[in-house]
Amino acid sequence: MRIARFSDGTNPVYGALEEGSKRIVGLKGDPLFSPVEPSGQIYELDEVRLLSPVIPRSKVVGIGNNYSDTPIPADERPEPPMFLKANTSVIGPDDPIAIPAWSNDVAFEGELAIVIKSLAKDVSASDASQVILGYTVANDVTARDAMTGGPWARGKSFDTSCPLGPWITVDPTLDVTNLAIRSYLNGEKAQDSSTAHMIWNPFELVSYVSHQMTLLPGDVIATGAPAGAEIVHAGDRVEIEIEGIGRLTNPVVRA
Ligand code: MG
C-alpha cells in the first residue's frame, strides 16, 4: 500500500492506493495518528496535487557518507555523520527547490527516506522494523558553499531543501536493503546505485539514531546519497527514482 497526502482543492487529505493503481481511497484523518479508515471518498491520482506525504512534527535526520561499493566490515565502520533538517525545509513533489540568494553551489542528493511510525528510543536493529511506517524518496538538497567550517544548519536546512515524496510505501515484503536508486538531472542520469551499497542499512540507522535522540511518529531519516549528486541551477529539473517506491520530481528556481 502507498499512503499519499494531497490537496483536494482546499485542504490536505490522506489517501491509500495500491501499486499500479491510479485510484486513491480517501482516509479519515492522518494515518500516522489515527486508525486507517476510509472516508468514503475516491480520488483519481491524475486529478490531485500530491503534497509531501509527511510533514515531520519534530525532525528530519540526515545521514552522511553511507554508500560504498566495497562495504566496510561492521566492526570497522566509523559512526555515520548525522545532522538535522528543519521541518520547514520540507516540500512535496513538483514543488520548486529555491536556490538561496546567498549560495552558488547547491546540489541535489537522492536518498531513501525512512518514515517513523511510533516513538523510538534505544531500539535495536532487529526491532527497528516495528517502529518504521514505510519509505519514501528524499532529496537532501545541500548548499555546499555553506558547509565549510561550521555547523551544517544553513547548508542543509534552508527552505525547500528537503523534497519528500511522492508517497509513503508501506510494504513489509519490500527488501529495502536491495533497491535500485537513480537520479536524473534534466533527464540525464546522475546517481545510479543500489541500497545494497549502504554501509549502515536502514534498520541499523534507525537503531543508531534512536540511541542519539528519541524518534517520534512522522520523523524522517534520510539515509545518505550514493555518488553522482550534482550542482543545480535555476531552470533545472531533478528526478529521483527508487525501485518499489516511486519517483520524486522537483523543478529548480532561484529564490
Ligand atoms: Mg545527503
Side-chain angles (χ1 to χ4, degrees):
M1 179 180 68
R2 293 162 163 177
I3 296 174
R5 180 170 163 270
F6 54 95
S7 171
D8 69 354
T10 43
N11 297 307
V13 177
Y14 292 86
L17 68 164
E18 297 304 324
E19 188 170 349
S21 172
K22 298 209 163 201
R23 186 168 165 271
I24 305 177
V25 176
L27 299 176
K28 288 183 180 170
D30 180 342
L32 267 166
F33 298 98
S34 52
V36 173
E37 195 178 340
S39 65
Q41 296 271 70
I42 300 292
Y43 304 86
E44 293 297 322
L45 182 59
D46 296 338
E47 293 172 5
V48 300
R49 186 168 79 84
L50 292 178
L51 306 172
S52 170
V54 59
I55 300 289
R57 292 196 180 180
S58 68
K59 56 196 168 293
V60 176
V61 180
I63 298 293
N65 302 347
N66 194 33
Y67 274 81
S68 165
D69 287 330
T70 52
I72 300 165
D75 57 356
E76 294 174 23
R77 296 173 187 178
E79 292 194 351
M82 199 175 109
F83 55 92
L84 297 175
K85 293 173 87 80
N87 57 5
T88 45
S89 68
V90 172
I91 57 173
D94 302 314
D95 288 338
I97 297 163
I99 300 171
W102 42 262
S103 179
N104 287 305
D105 187 12
V106 168
F108 69 90
E109 298 181 3
E111 306 189 3
L112 175 71
I114 303 164
V115 182
I116 298 295
K117 174 170 68 178
S118 49
L119 186 147
K121 182 174 174 57
D122 298 343
V123 175
S124 68
S126 58
D127 287 340
S129 62
Q130 295 170 24
V131 303
I132 297 172
L133 173 66
Y135 298 86
T136 189
V137 181
N139 188 344
D140 174 25
V141 181
T142 301
R144 299 186 296 197
D145 49 0
M147 299 282 288
T148 49
W152 287 5
R154 283 178 77 222
K156 287 290 192 184
S157 208
F158 60 88
D159 290 355
T160 77
S161 67
C162 192
L164 295 176
W167 41 59
I168 301 167
T169 295
V170 179
D171 178 0
T173 69
L174 187 71
D175 178 7
V176 293
T177 66
N178 190 18
L179 301 176
I181 175 168
R182 297 189 184 91
S183 63
Y184 303 85
L185 178 61
N186 302 321
E188 298 276 320
K189 195 181 284 180
Q191 295 162 292
D192 184 2
S193 188
S194 164
T195 60
H197 299 312
M198 285 186 179
I199 297 169
W200 294 60
N201 74 34
F203 310 104
E204 293 168 328
L205 287 177
V206 168
S207 175
Y208 175 71
V209 174
S210 80
H211 283 80
Q212 317 301 318
M213 58 182 74
T214 299
L215 291 164
L216 296 179
D219 281 356
V220 170
I221 301 174
T223 58
E230 292 182 26
I231 189 170
V232 293
H233 300 92
D236 286 346
R237 188 179 81 257
V238 180
E239 297 163 275
I240 302 160
E241 188 172 47
I242 301 181
E243 178 186 6
I245 299 178
R247 180 180 281 230
L248 172 65
T249 303
N250 295 92
V252 181
V253 300
R254 176 58 90 165

